[in-house]
Amino acid sequence: MKDYKRYLITSALPYANGPVHLGHLAGVYVPADIYVRYLRQRGRDVLFICGSDEHGVPITIKARKEGITPQDVVDRYHTLNKKAFADFGITFDIYSRTSNKVHHQTASEFFETLYDKGEFIEKTSKQYYDTEAKQFLADRYITGTCPKCHKEGAYGDQCEACGTSLNATDLINPKSALSGSVPELRDTLHWFLPLDKYEPWLKQWILEENKHWKSNVYGQCKSWIDAGLQPRAVSRDLDWGIPIPKRIKGSDGKVLYVWFDAPIGYISATKELTPDWEKYWKSDDTRLIHFIGKDNIVFHCIIFPAMLKAEGSYILPENIPANEFLNLEGDKISTSRNWAVWLHEYLEDFPGKQDVLRYVLCANAPEAKDNDFTWKDFQARNNNELVAILGNFVNRALVLTQKNCNGKVPAPGALNDFDKQTIAEMPKIKDQIESSLENFRLREALKFAMDFARLGNKYLADTEPWKLIKTVPERVNTILNISLQITANLSAIIESFLPDTAAKIRKMLNIDAITWENAYKTDNLKAGHQLGEPALLFDKIEDSQIEFQVEKLQKTKTANQALCAPVEPQKPNISFDDFSKMDIRVGTILAAEKVAKTQKLVKLTIDTGIDKRTVVSGIAEYYEPEKIIGQQVCILVNLEPRKIKGIDSQGMILMAEDANGKLCFAAPIDKTGNGSGVK
RNA sequence: GGCGAGGUAGCUCAGAUGGUUAGAGCGCAUGAUUCAUAAUCAUGAGGUCGAGAGUUCAAUUCUCUCUCUCGCUACCA
C-alpha cells in the first residue's frame, strides 16, 4: 500500500430527526472508532470527523407535527446523539452539524464552484405549488389517493399502505399537507449534477482502480454503474436548508438538496476543527476513509466522489468499508416501529456497560452480511467471554500478586522454555491484530485480542503458581511477573475495542498507557512497582435482566400489531347511481400465465359472458397461474382499458386485501353463469 | 424479472490461483484443576461446505441451472 502521511476518517452523519440506536453503532461508529483509536495508538496523524445531518424534508415534517421549528428538532437530536456517542466512547475529533455557519458557507461555495465551472444542467419541471402557503411542495407534503391501492393518505413519494413508491403527480386528488388546499402544477427551475457524464470515469476509478473495496461495496457500485446513471437534482424548493447563492438566477426559495450538502459536512467539520484542513482534504498522501452503512454506499462511492471530482481540488476516498445491517431479535430495526435499542435507554438499563455493548457489536458486526443481535447472545458473550476469559484472567493475575507479593511487581528469575514460548506469543498476536485492523476485519481483530487473555489464562493454568508457592516460591515471582506483563500489554491491546476496560486495568496496575509498539514487551512493569487495588472488570448479566429487555421488545411488538392493523375507515357515502356505474360481472379464468420479467403480474384470459378478454392482475405472489384456471372471479368490466407491460388490460379482477397486503379472490361461493352481474 | 451480496458444525462466522484428515469462537461431552465472578486448562463429538448438472485425474472452491435470505430496480386498475 501507498505510504500515507495522515488519515482522514469520517463516519456517516446521523440524520438529526431521531436518536441513534444500536444498529448505527454496530455498523458505523464502533468500527470507525476502533480503527481510529488504533491509528492514534500507533501515533498516526489522524482526524476523526462526524456531525449531525440537519437538513431535508423529514425534519421539517417532524417539526410541523410537533408544532416546533426545524431548528428545535435538530437541536434536540444533535444534543442527544452527541451525548450518546460521547457516552459510548466514540472519540470524534469533532462532532459538528450541518446547520453551522461554516458548513453553510462551505456548501454554498462548493455549489458555486461547480456552477461556475458549468458542471450543472439546468432543467425546468412541473411541481406542485401551494397557492395559499405560497410555496412549492415537497413530495412528502402532498397527500392524496394512492393510484395503486386507492387508499387515501398516500404521500407524494410513497404510499405507506401498499408500500409503493410514487411520483407526486401520480396521486389522485392531491392535497397540500400544509394548507389542505388543492395544489397546482407550476414550473420550477432546478440544477442537476449530470452523473451520466462521470460514468466512464467512475467505471475506471471504481471498477478498475478500487478492486480492493469490500465485495458488498464493489458489487453494489458495479450494479449502479451498469444500470446507467442519471442526472440528479441538487436543489429543492424548500425553506429549510442551505440557500442556493443569491447571485445565481432563479435561486429564490431554493435550497441545496440534502444529499448534496450532507457529505460536504465532512469538509466543513474539518475546516471548523483545524486551519490545516486543506492538508487533510487536498494532499495525495492523505488516506481518506468513509465508514458508513450499506444504505449510504451509492452516496459515498458514486455521488460524493463525482462531486469531488467535478470540483477538482479534493482527494478521493481510498476505501469505504461499508457494513451491512444489524437486525434485532430477528426483525429489521425500525425507528418508526420503535423496533430498536436506543443508546440512551441502554445506558439507563446497563449503566457503565458501554464496553460490553461495544464488544458484542464488534464481535458480531455485520461485516459481510446482515447479522442478528439478540439479548441472549449479548448475555452469553458478556458472561462467557468478557467475564470468564478477560475479566477473570486480569483478576487472577492481580489477586495472586496481592496475596503472594503484597501487590508489588515481583522481579523475574531465570526464564524456562514455557515462559519464553508464552512471551513469544505476544508479538505474534499483536501482528495478527494489526493485519486484521488494516484490512477492516474488526471482528477477527477482536477475536485475536481475546487470544491475549487466553494466553494469560493458559499460562497460569500450566504454571500453577498457587501450588509452587508452597514448594518453589522464587519461581512464583517469575510467573507473576510474566502474568502481570501480559496484563499490562493486554490493556494496550484491547484499548481500541474496550477503552473503559483498558483504563480500568491501567488504574489497577497503576500505570500510564503503553504504546502499541511496546505492547508485547516484558519490561513495561518494573520490579517493585506498586499496583493499585484489584477490582472486577465485568459483572455477570443475570437472566432476569435479559428477560426484561426481551419483554420490553415484546411489548413494542404487541403495540405495533395493535397499531398496524387498523381497519380502514369507511369512505364517504355515494349514491346508488355512483355504484351502478360500475359493471361488475362474474367470469371464468380460461387461461393464466405469468407476465415475463415481472414479479407480481399474471396475464389472465377471462370468459366474461360478454366476451373473452385479457386482464393483467398483480396476483402472482399469491396464486400460481396453472392452479386458478377454471376458477370463477368477479371482474369490473367497464374500467378504462390500460396498457400494462405492453399488454392491454381490459378490466380489473376484484380482490380482497388484508392489512399485510395479502390478496385473495372475491368471487361467488356457488357456481354461477358467466356474465352474471354483481349488485 | 434484472442486477448486487449472502447461503460452510446447534449458534455466530473464517477459508481456499481446485489437490492429502474443511477451520475458529461460543454451546455440548469427558478429563484435569481450584489462584479466580462454579471462572480456567486439555481432549473430544459434531459438517454429503443451499440443491442438481457439467468441466477435471480431482470441486465446498470453476461453469451452468435451480432454490432460499437481504438490498437496489421494473411492473402491480
Side-chain angles (χ1 to χ4, degrees):
Chain A
M1 204 202 336
K2 214 172 132 180
D3 187 22
Y4 290 102
K5 290 232 164 24
R6 64 193 77 73
Y7 288 72
L8 180 58
I9 313 295
T10 74
S11 54
L13 307 184
Y15 197 53
N17 76 331
V20 272
H21 54 62
L22 110 192
H24 297 120
L25 212 55
V28 182
Y29 305 101
V30 164
D33 187 65
I34 290 170
Y35 188 67
V36 166
R37 281 176 184 266
Y38 161 76
L39 292 176
R40 289 195 193 117
Q41 262 188 304
R42 303 207 62 177
R44 305 273 172 79
D45 181 352
V46 47
L47 292 186
F48 185 18
I49 305 293
C50 196
S52 295
D53 174 9
E54 306 189 314
H55 295 132
V57 175
I59 283 168
T60 66
I61 289 184
K62 186 159 195 112
R64 276 183 57 82
K65 252 188 207 160
E66 300 186 15
I68 54 180
T69 65
Q71 189 66 47
D72 293 336
V73 172
V74 301
D75 283 351
R76 183 203 301 164
Y77 291 112
H78 176 74
T79 312
L80 185 73
N81 291 339
K82 186 174 179 174
K83 180 171 183 306
F85 286 133
D87 286 343
F88 276 90
I90 310 293
T91 49
F92 302 124
D93 287 303
I94 183 167
Y95 188 78
S96 186
R97 53 195 308 187
T98 61
S99 59
N100 265 358
K101 208 174 160 191
V102 182
H103 176 66
H104 275 240
Q105 257 171 18
T106 310
S108 317
E109 281 167 21
F110 200 105
F111 179 90
E112 280 184 290
T113 306
L114 296 200
Y115 179 84
D116 291 340
K117 287 179 85 174
E119 294 287 344
F120 293 134
I121 302 170
E122 290 188 356
K123 253 199 277 189
T124 300
S125 61
K126 290 204 186 296
Q127 302 268 308
Y128 277 119
Y129 184 87
D130 184 328
T131 47
E132 275 180 43
K134 294 199 170 43
Q135 57 176 278
F136 280 98
L137 296 168
D139 291 344
R140 274 264 141 182
Y141 275 144
I142 304 161
T143 61
T145 305
C146 174
K148 187 220 160 195
C149 69
H150 283 247
K151 281 194 179 128
E152 292 183 31
Y155 294 103
D157 55 347
Q158 193 188 24
C159 170
E160 297 200 333
C162 64
T164 312
S165 59
L166 303 169
N167 290 317
T169 44
D170 295 340
L171 284 178
I172 302 163
N173 299 326
K175 269 196 195 128
S176 164
L178 293 181
S179 65
S181 66
V182 177
E184 61 178 53
L185 283 171
R186 278 199 192 174
D187 282 340
T188 177
L189 175 74
H190 282 288
W191 295 270
F192 290 74
L193 184 67
L195 289 174
D196 44 328
K197 190 179 133 188
Y198 299 97
E199 221 175 276
W201 170 73
L202 283 165
K203 258 189 187 148
Q204 172 65 25
W205 180 62
I206 297 178
L207 303 184
E208 297 302 324
E209 294 169 29
N210 279 310
K211 292 189 177 179
H212 64 287
W213 287 2
K214 287 175 60 177
S215 64
N216 59 332
V217 176
Y218 184 91
Q220 186 68 61
C221 290
K222 184 167 160 38
S223 174
W224 276 85
I225 293 171
D226 288 349
L229 302 171
Q230 303 298 322
R232 218 182 149 100
V234 303
S235 55
R236 291 207 101 182
D237 295 294
L238 198 68
D239 57 5
W240 177 244
I242 298 171
I244 304 285
K246 287 228 171 357
R247 71 169 170 94
I248 292 168
K249 209 179 146 215
S251 63
D252 225 27
K254 293 178 205 301
V255 295
L256 296 179
Y257 211 143
V258 63
W259 66 259
F260 186 84
D261 96 64
I264 297 173
Y266 297 138
I267 301 172
S268 343
T270 316
K271 236 183 202 178
E272 199 183 325
L273 176 65
T274 168
D276 265 350
W277 69 275
E278 281 182 301
K279 201 170 81 185
Y280 289 88
W281 277 100
K282 300 191 174 186
S283 316
D284 275 342
D285 49 6
T286 297
R287 190 177 179 202
L288 171 60
I289 294 166
H290 298 305
F291 280 87
I292 55 169
K294 69 172 168 184
D295 52 330
N296 259 323
I297 289 175
V298 65
F299 289 107
H300 288 77
C301 299
I302 293 184
I303 299 177
F304 189 45
M307 287 164 59
L308 293 173
K309 175 82 179 162
E311 204 278 348
S313 67
Y314 289 90
I315 55 165
L316 298 168
E318 190 274 333
N319 208 333
I320 303 167
N323 279 323
E324 302 283 299
F325 283 160
L326 189 70
N327 293 330
L328 172 59
E329 298 283 355
D331 279 323
K332 214 167 288 183
I333 294 179
S334 157
T335 302
S336 60
R337 288 185 299 121
N338 195 29
W339 189 254
V341 175
W342 306 108
L343 299 191
H344 56 282
E345 289 187 10
Y346 171 87
L347 282 180
E348 283 165 20
D349 294 346
F350 297 99
K353 293 200 189 302
Q354 30 279 80
D355 270 9
V356 176
L357 192 62
R358 281 177 70 108
Y359 179 83
V360 174
L361 295 182
C362 178
N364 193 25
E367 285 179 357
K369 57 173 189 181
D370 290 0
N371 277 346
D372 199 21
F373 174 94
T374 64
W375 283 108
K376 205 164 159 272
D377 180 63
F378 170 82
Q379 180 192 28
R381 287 191 186 276
N382 178 77
N383 294 356
N384 303 331
E385 298 176 33
L386 289 177
V387 172
I389 295 169
L390 206 171
N392 188 221
F393 166 65
V394 173
N395 190 236
R396 295 171 85 185
L398 287 166
V399 168
L400 281 168
T401 308
Q402 201 76 359
K403 281 188 183 167
N404 299 308
C405 306
N406 293 320
K408 284 205 170 89
V409 178
L415 303 184
N416 67 21
D417 282 351
F418 185 65
D419 296 339
K420 288 178 189 163
Q421 192 189 318
T422 300
I423 289 168
E425 283 302 311
M426 290 198 280
K428 281 191 207 160
I429 297 175
K430 181 174 157 281
D431 285 350
Q432 285 175 314
I433 297 174
E434 282 173 24
S435 142
S436 298
L437 284 176
E438 297 289 356
N439 291 297
F440 306 108
R441 292 200 294 260
L442 304 199
R443 39 192 302 164
E444 185 182 77
L446 179 61
K447 206 201 85 194
F448 286 138
M450 289 301 283
D451 283 345
F452 226 88
R454 288 177 214 280
L455 179 71
N457 276 321
K458 183 170 169 51
Y459 182 69
L460 284 178
D462 289 358
T463 53
E464 299 183 307
W466 49 90
K467 279 186 182 166
L468 294 178
I469 194 71
K470 292 167 203 148
T471 52
V472 211
E474 60 279 11
R475 171 75 187 132
V476 172
N477 288 345
T478 306
I479 294 169
L480 288 185
N481 183 282
I482 291 175
S483 301
L484 290 170
Q485 303 294 352
I486 295 176
T487 309
N489 291 334
L490 179 63
S491 74
I493 291 290
I494 62 164
E495 163 82 40
S496 61
F497 306 96
L498 306 169
D500 290 353
T501 307
K504 280 185 199 163
I505 297 176
R506 287 199 301 266
K507 193 167 171 231
M508 286 189 250
L509 292 176
N510 187 25
I511 55 167
D512 293 328
I514 294 167
T515 64
W516 183 261
E517 269 62 34
N518 287 334
Y520 69 94
K521 296 188 173 166
T522 50
D523 60 354
N524 284 318
L525 294 173
K526 306 293 175 223
H529 174 76
Q530 178 63 51
L531 304 178
E533 282 300 305
L536 295 178
L537 288 174
F538 303 99
D539 307 311
K540 284 209 162 195
I541 291 173
E542 302 299 330
D543 289 350
S544 59
Q545 291 174 275
I546 294 307
E547 281 158 19
F548 177 79
Q549 293 300 328
V550 172
E551 268 170 38
K552 195 162 157 184
L553 286 170
Q554 192 51 50
K555 277 179 198 154
T556 300
K557 201 160 235 179
T558 315
N560 280 340
Q561 270 162 1
L563 231 118
C564 279
V567 175
E568 224 186 318
Q570 183 177 317
K571 293 179 185 170
N573 285 353
I574 58 166
S575 66
F576 182 73
D577 261 5
D578 286 337
F579 173 72
S580 51
K581 281 180 194 161
M582 294 194 279
D583 191 346
I584 302 171
R585 307 292 183 109
V586 173
T588 299
I589 299 173
L590 298 178
E593 57 176 299
K594 241 190 124 195
V595 180
K597 299 185 180 180
T598 70
Q599 189 183 333
K600 300 183 182 175
L601 299 188
V602 177
K603 177 181 163 189
L604 300 165
T605 307
I606 310 281
D607 182 348
T608 62
I610 309 165
D611 54 15
K612 295 185 174 66
R613 61 172 76 186
T614 301
V615 176
V616 175
S617 189
I619 58 173
E621 287 174 305
Y622 306 102
Y623 290 101
E624 288 174 44
E626 54 275 20
K627 289 196 181 157
I628 57 174
I629 292 170
Q631 188 161 330
Q632 283 201 315
V633 295
C634 292
I635 168 172
L636 179 63
V637 291
N638 63 337
L639 185 71
E640 198 85 28
R642 184 173 150 154
K643 249 196 178 158
I644 299 163
K645 275 275 161 185
I647 302 164
D648 265 320
S649 179
Q650 303 162 297
M652 167 172 148
I653 308 294
L654 267 44
M655 308 294 299
E657 183 182 32
D658 72 10
N660 300 320
K662 191 178 174 230
L663 299 175
C664 75
F665 286 115
I669 291 174
D670 299 319
K671 192 119 186 151
T672 181
N674 287 337
S676 303
V678 176
K679 294 177 177 167

